[in-house]
Amino acid sequence: MINSFSKLKISSVFLTLLISAPAIIIFLYLFSGSSDNWQHLKDTLLFEYIFNTLYIMFGVAILTGLIGFTTAYLTSLYTFTFSRFFHYALILPFAIPTYIMAFIYGGMFDITGSVTTFILDLFDTSLNEVYFFDIMSIEGAIIIMSLVLYPYVYLICKTYLSFESASIIDAAKTFNLSSWQILKKVILPVSRPAIVAGVTLAVMEAIADFGVMDYFGVSTFVTGIFRAWFGMGSVEDAAKLASILMTFVFIIIVLERLQRRNKVYKSSGKDFKPIDKIKLSGGKNVAAVIVCFIPFFLGFLLPFIQLCYWFLLSYEEIIDEDFMTLLYQTLTLAISSAFIITGLALLFVYNVRLNGDKTSSSLNQIVKMGYSIPGAVVGVGILSFFAVLDKYVFDIFSETFIISGTIIAVIFGYCVRFLAISINNFESAFSRIPTSYDDAAKILNIGDKKTFFKIYVPLLKNASFSAFIVIFIEVIKELPLTMILRPFNYDTLAVRALELTQQAQIVESSVPSMFIIIIGIISVILLARNMNKV
Amino acid sequence: MLKKLALTAVVLGSSLLASSEVNVYSHRHYDTDKQLFKMFEDKTGIKVNVVKAKASALIKRMESEGAKSPADVLITVDAGRLYQAKQKDLLQSIKSNYLTTNIPEKLRDTDNKWFALTKRSRVAVYRIGSDVENQLKTYEDLADPKFKGQIMVRSSNNIYNQSLMAAMIAHHGEEKALDWAKGVVANMAKAPKGNDRYQVKAVANGIGSIAIANTYYIGKMVDNKDASQRESVKKVKIFFPEFKNGGTHINVSGAGVAKYSPNKENAIKFIEFMASKEAQELFAKGNYEYPVLAGVKSSDLVSSWGQFKDDTISINTLGENNAAAIKVFDKAGWK
């Protein structure tokens, strides 16, 4: 007889296969024979792709880690002027899609940007006479990506610090350590898994980015994939590059796993005690405000002001009936995808908790890989996968019905891409639930199903909510997958924003962008309020 | 939820069966096109369903969908992709007297599998007051060391650059094209980045003196809400270079009928409409493109830039040479 134990496991295996099918198909292209294009790539660009991708990984890891942890540390352990405001405000950059950020920063700070030319005019000098930092460079890309992505680290560290640090800090205080010593000797080491988890997500997103890198002229694996595929028409070479990229990500995931294994801080299960926040004053107060203000200003306020200005110039022209349909479609798509993905993630993580074996946790690792594959590549994998399904499975039912180009295909694409985020979210939430609960349930002989619904679901309510919101925002911002897989006459806000920028209507593109950001802001506020409840 | 989704999918799937429709896979994303589709719907009562994405993604989608593909018409912004679609056997030959009589032979496929709908040319844009006017005559000149540190051009990932290189290869062969590319790289004012408008803005602001850009972007910059684009474009002028043994490089947007088109008749009607006088006029006025239909005038702004002679090579060669063009770029170090 199959008990719910193995039922869960069997469905996890099945779902993993389903979700990894597009990636497997991409991998299969590896064996499709090598072309002379590949030799050419090796001779010319491969080294540059590897170097730049590593440079971006390194840069984004350092910057997001630094900004995310410092701000999380300050706002969780101290009160200072505006600290409650920063609690919310520091998550806001998350609401701005990276490609929109790149356009805005390009528009203001590149060599022809409004800010640059204003400064040059002011000093009556020209670019040839002075050196200006060119934002449209690999370093600029790292800065832009980090400004948008540091909230991953901030969110995870903050949840961790608010939940875990009180007892540790109290213990440390009994040894008469100074705040600095506590930070260095206690908080930093115990926060390492949280920092690494956040940084991993940020880095994965950064190396899967196309929009920013293409606009800034930075060659990475992803731009290479597009070049091989769109330019040379060689899906095989694109897939080979994607496979190398996936290997990179696999290494990141394994490293993250390894370092976490050495440092497992499971909750002791004692009652949760909120931190007694220390009040800062004088110079320290000012310093804390400045440290929190800079990422908020650069990551949100400045680009937002520019967008507001553009929005006012153009909203009358853009907002019409079609636009409202677009808004409705985007919202319903995001809500239904977020529901499905959150549910699936819960299933995957619960399977690991319950079965606790290597197979189950490696299933999760496989599922997580999808996040690192650029959306467009996932799109191609899905097209190929559904082509097979349509040809051999659905043909039995109907001669005309196809799954490609339907909403199902789009949502499936989001599952492949975004399950990693919600799984990560649940993993850290699960690790905070003491194992004694499971043991108690076992001793009392309560079934797994009952344990799940009576114990886990209530305990995971907040984590589920965060997972839902984060996926919701991701779907609203998502671009390449939606472009490739969407049905006829189906647009989203992100797609519309991109279309307008491609038509040189950067000003007009601020309207859909603004809606994306406003929806993002509302979600982020909900997220932050939810975090308070943790 | 899943049930509901499946239902939606079935409804969507079956609605594609209706005969008074035409399903368009388009790489073009201009508001003008939206207007044109509306005009076609009003005129014929045939509903236009559109999916917009990058051409290669659309081609891949048609490939994956195979015989069940709902696509009737494929539209791309360059000839290279239409060539690819034809190579992959995704398009069918059609018989249309209107199209074969009205679209010049050079601007359509040899087997009538696709037809050009609009033209744009890739030109040099120089800063007014610089001495470029007297020094620049041909595309080949762009590699001349006298322009060291002067040229602004976007990355070789871009299809417009790839087509320009494909044309260069058609004129001079790969070896000479590589020498040319190396020369241009040595003359660049900045490493390639940004789009065509960025190059024009850079030149207007004193970085380099020649930008390589497509004509219709200049129109878009003149008519723009962003003041910095309007100001920049006032400081520059368009020059139409020629190949030494040809004319000015042009590329086309074009359309073909999908091989498994479920609404073939509508598809043909649709393409004929896009090549009709009224549609061509809107292309010309709304999007600053050059019409392909004889007798249709360009917009006043476009006409003010002056006349040019089309390159003599067939548009078909741009697609054939595309992969070779990319390799030449890579070897020359053109990012």
Side-chain angles (χ1 to χ4, degrees):
Chain A
M1 205 183 102
I2 301 174
N3 56 20
S4 56
F5 233 33
S6 26
K7 252 193 245 163
L8 187 64
K9 197 165 178 179
I10 291 166
S11 32
S12 300
V13 171
F14 173 74
L15 282 168
T16 307
L17 279 177
L18 193 69
I19 285 163
S20 49
I24 293 169
I25 287 173
I26 298 286
F27 262 120
L28 286 180
Y29 276 115
L30 268 179
F31 307 102
S32 62
S34 97
S35 62
D36 48 334
N37 285 345
W38 185 248
Q39 189 56 44
H40 167 80
L41 267 174
K42 277 206 295 198
D43 293 344
T44 53
L45 290 167
L46 198 60
F47 174 76
E48 194 182 344
Y49 292 161
I50 294 174
F51 176 80
N52 283 352
T53 304
L54 284 174
Y55 189 29
I56 289 164
M57 281 166 73
F58 187 71
V60 169
I62 303 249
L63 266 184
T64 54
L66 201 66
I67 305 173
F69 175 75
T70 319
T71 49
Y73 166 75
L74 286 173
T75 52
S76 325
L77 271 68
Y78 300 95
T79 54
F80 47 91
T81 318
F82 303 126
S83 58
R84 277 191 64 82
F85 167 75
F86 283 125
H87 170 77
Y88 293 99
L90 282 164
I91 321 174
L92 287 175
F94 193 47
I96 305 183
T98 45
Y99 51 87
I100 292 175
M101 193 82 153
F103 270 118
I104 297 174
Y105 267 86
M108 291 194 288
F109 292 101
D110 73 45
I111 46 171
T112 67
S114 48
V115 176
T116 315
T117 40
F118 176 76
I119 296 172
L120 290 176
D121 283 351
L122 202 67
F123 294 103
D124 196 25
T125 177
S126 83
L127 260 175
N128 296 330
E129 292 161 47
V130 285
Y131 176 78
F132 248 97
F133 171 68
D134 188 357
I135 190 90
M136 288 173 79
S137 59
I138 190 164
E139 290 80 12
I142 290 172
I143 293 171
I144 300 249
M145 299 300 292
S146 302
L147 283 174
V148 179
L149 298 175
Y150 82 83
Y152 277 123
V153 185
Y154 171 77
L155 275 169
I156 296 179
C157 285
K158 195 163 164 94
T159 316
Y160 187 79
L161 285 172
S162 344
F163 200 77
E164 290 296 330
S165 55
S167 51
I168 302 170
I169 293 169
D170 285 348
K173 277 181 188 158
T174 58
F175 290 102
N176 259 339
L177 294 177
S178 69
S179 300
W180 175 244
Q181 282 170 317
I182 294 177
L183 170 65
K184 214 173 91 181
K185 293 196 169 153
V186 183
I187 296 178
L188 212 49
V190 299
S191 308
R192 215 175 80 185
I195 299 173
V196 174
V199 164
T200 307
L201 281 175
V203 165
M204 278 160 77
E205 186 141 325
I207 61 175
D209 174 84
F210 175 73
V212 180
M213 304 306 162
D214 181 53
Y215 190 58
F216 283 12
V218 180
S219 298
T220 64
F221 272 101
V222 177
T223 59
I225 288 166
F226 277 74
R227 187 185 172 87
W229 177 30
F230 291 164
M232 298 188 178
S234 165
V235 182
E236 294 80 11
D237 297 314
K240 271 181 202 165
L241 287 171
S243 308
I244 301 179
L245 183 62
M246 283 196 269
T247 318
F248 266 78
V249 174
F250 193 71
I251 295 169
I252 302 177
I253 292 174
V254 169
L255 286 177
E256 195 253 350
R257 261 344 249 196
L258 280 178
Q259 76 93 35
R260 217 194 304 177
R261 193 169 298 157
N262 294 333
K263 303 259 174 217
V264 182
Y265 300 101
K266 271 204 176 157
S267 170
S268 54
K270 281 183 195 140
D271 287 341
F272 169 64
K273 176 177 165 285
I275 303 178
D276 297 319
K277 290 191 185 177
I278 302 166
K279 198 167 164 35
L280 294 178
S281 58
K284 282 182 179 171
N285 183 45
V286 176
V289 174
I290 293 174
V291 167
C292 291
F293 183 73
I294 292 172
F296 164 69
F297 177 75
L298 294 177
F300 183 80
L301 195 60
L302 186 67
F304 187 71
I305 292 170
Q306 172 75 69
L307 262 184
C308 284
Y309 171 66
W310 284 341
F311 182 87
L312 289 174
L313 280 182
S314 58
Y315 73 96
E316 279 170 308
E317 199 179 309
I318 301 291
I319 298 176
D320 54 14
E321 214 175 295
D322 285 355
F323 191 84
M324 297 322 278
T325 319
L326 196 85
L327 186 63
Y328 174 77
Q329 279 171 344
T330 311
L331 287 174
T332 46
L333 183 66
I335 290 171
S336 39
S337 313
F339 256 118
I340 294 168
I341 294 169
T342 310
L344 284 177
L346 195 55
L347 190 142
F348 274 108
V349 183
Y350 186 56
N351 178 44
V352 175
R353 177 78 169 203
L354 211 53
N355 293 315
D357 57 345
K358 273 204 173 136
T359 335
S360 302
S361 57
S362 26
L363 287 184
N364 287 9
Q365 298 318 309
I366 295 171
V367 170
K368 278 193 200 173
M369 299 275 292
Y371 190 57
S372 68
I373 315 172
V377 178
V378 172
V380 179
I382 289 176
L383 281 179
S384 315
F385 175 55
F386 281 143
V388 175
L389 276 188
D390 284 332
K391 203 165 172 185
Y392 299 105
V393 184
F394 294 106
D395 216 26
I396 306 164
F397 305 114
S398 149
E399 276 184 9
T400 48
F401 173 70
I402 50 171
I403 203 162
S404 315
T406 63
I407 289 291
I408 300 175
V410 179
I411 295 180
F412 180 71
Y414 296 152
C415 288
V416 175
R417 269 290 270 138
F418 298 137
L419 258 169
I421 304 176
S422 38
I423 287 180
N424 270 12
N425 208 314
F426 280 123
E427 273 175 352
S428 64
F430 262 100
S431 71
R432 289 200 298 269
I433 299 176
T435 42
S436 51
Y437 287 20
D438 307 53
D439 300 339
K442 260 178 215 156
I443 293 165
L444 294 171
N445 211 7
I446 302 171
D448 294 327
K449 214 185 256 174
K450 212 167 176 187
T451 317
F452 179 73
F453 284 107
K454 293 268 173 194
I455 298 178
Y456 282 105
V457 169
L459 282 173
L460 292 170
K461 216 169 72 189
N462 288 331
S464 310
F465 185 75
S466 318
F468 180 89
I469 295 286
V470 173
I471 302 297
F472 176 80
I473 304 178
E474 288 288 351
V475 171
I476 299 255
K477 295 194 291 184
E478 208 287 332
L479 205 49
L481 252 179
T482 323
M483 293 271 286
I484 295 175
L485 297 173
R486 70 207 159 120
F488 281 113
N489 307 326
Y490 200 97
D491 280 330
T492 64
L493 289 169
V495 170
R496 185 80 184 123
L498 180 81
E499 272 176 22
L500 288 165
T501 55
Q502 286 179 337
Q503 290 175 55
Q505 293 176 289
I506 307 267
V507 173
E508 287 83 352
S509 81
S510 69
V511 179
S513 304
M514 190 63 135
F515 274 85
I516 295 174
I517 291 166
I518 301 271
I519 295 170
I521 292 173
I522 297 170
S523 316
V524 159
I525 291 172
L526 290 172
L527 199 66
R529 282 175 57 152
N530 185 53
M531 221 163 58
N532 273 347
K533 289 190 227 149
V534 175
Chain B
M1 175 58 73
L2 271 174
K3 233 179 180 177
K4 213 171 176 185
L5 285 171
L7 203 71
T8 321
V10 171
V11 171
L12 272 172
S14 56
S15 72
L16 300 177
L17 286 176
S19 61
S20 60
E21 292 185 317
V22 61
N23 299 318
V24 180
Y25 281 19
S26 176
H27 181 184
R28 287 173 59 98
H29 42 66
Y30 311 109
D31 283 341
T32 326
D33 292 30
K34 212 166 137 188
Q35 264 172 279
L36 284 168
F37 298 160
K38 181 87 190 11
M39 275 161 69
F40 177 72
E41 282 179 350
D42 291 345
K43 205 174 163 186
T44 59
I46 297 168
K47 168 123 182 42
V48 182
N49 297 313
V50 193
V51 176
K52 288 168 284 183
K54 288 230 176 202
S56 305
L58 294 170
I59 290 171
K60 180 71 197 164
R61 182 157 159 183
M62 286 168 78
E63 232 182 322
S64 301
E65 287 167 348
K68 279 182 174 181
S69 174
D72 292 310
V73 176
L74 173 70
I75 302 179
T76 77
V77 295
D78 65 291
R81 297 295 173 266
L82 288 166
Y83 171 83
Q84 257 183 31
K86 183 189 168 186
Q87 289 302 99
K88 292 185 184 223
D89 198 20
L90 297 171
L91 302 175
Q92 57 174 305
S93 302
I94 55 163
K95 273 204 184 105
S96 160
N97 281 336
Y98 179 79
L99 291 174
T100 38
T101 5
N102 288 292
I103 295 184
E105 207 172 334
K106 217 176 59 180
L107 298 178
R108 59 182 146 93
D109 174 53
T110 39
D111 301 317
N112 291 330
K113 288 198 173 179
W114 58 262
F115 301 86
L117 298 174
T118 69
K119 283 193 297 187
R120 62 274 293 266
S121 61
R122 196 149 184 77
V123 297
V125 176
Y126 64 92
R127 197 172 60 256
I128 297 172
S130 65
D131 196 29
V132 172
E133 205 162 18
N134 303 318
Q135 295 185 354
L136 181 67
K137 296 282 174 254
T138 63
Y139 289 104
E140 288 83 349
D141 286 345
L142 293 168
D144 193 309
K146 68 184 170 194
F147 292 123
K148 190 150 187 62
Q150 297 302 309
I151 293 174
M152 287 295 296
V153 60
R154 74 198 287 180
S155 122
S156 60
N157 287 332
N158 176 253
I159 184 71
Y160 305 138
N161 278 349
Q162 291 168 9
S163 289
L164 179 62
M165 179 60 84
M168 189 57 84
I169 292 172
H171 281 288
H172 299 296
E174 276 182 46
E175 226 167 282
K176 283 204 170 144
L178 178 60
D179 291 340
W180 177 76
K182 282 181 181 163
V184 176
V185 170
N187 284 347
M188 284 179 186
K190 279 261 163 200
K193 65 185 78 163
N195 47 28
D196 279 12
R197 288 179 296 280
Y198 173 81
Q199 319 306 328
V200 175
K201 271 171 74 178
V203 163
N205 286 288
I207 299 151
S209 53
I210 306 168
I212 301 175
N214 270 11
T215 40
Y216 80 105
Y217 283 118
I218 305 298
K220 298 232 158 198
M221 288 178 79
V222 172
D223 176 21
N224 205 295
K225 285 214 170 76
D226 179 3
S228 76
Q229 293 201 23
R230 289 197 308 267
E231 289 307 312
S232 293
V233 81
K234 279 183 196 160
K235 297 179 190 160
V236 297
K237 255 186 139 169
I238 288 181
F239 175 75
F240 296 94
E242 289 188 358
F243 285 104
K244 266 185 183 153
N245 49 352
T248 299
H249 173 64
I250 56 158
N251 203 340
V252 297
S253 278
V257 177
K259 186 175 182 192
Y260 301 105
S261 161
N263 309 296
K264 189 179 165 185
E265 293 307 308
N266 293 350
I268 296 173
K269 265 187 216 162
F270 177 82
I271 298 178
E272 284 175 347
F273 171 78
M274 297 301 257
S276 71
K277 191 163 177 283
E278 53 181 326
Q280 289 286 309
E281 272 168 357
L282 191 58
F283 271 132
K285 293 206 169 66
N287 215 30
Y288 309 104
E289 292 175 274
Y290 292 97
V292 290
L293 190 70
V296 176
K297 273 194 192 143
S298 305
S299 76
D300 292 344
L301 177 67
V302 174
S303 308
S304 75
W305 298 333
Q307 301 292 317
F308 63 93
K309 188 179 93 193
D310 285 3
D311 191 1
T312 45
I313 59 160
S314 161
I315 290 289
N316 284 286
T317 44
L318 302 183
E320 288 161 26
N321 289 345
N322 196 268
I326 291 177
K327 286 186 184 170
V328 169
F329 278 128
D330 292 344
K331 284 181 195 152
W334 186 319
K335 300 231 172 189

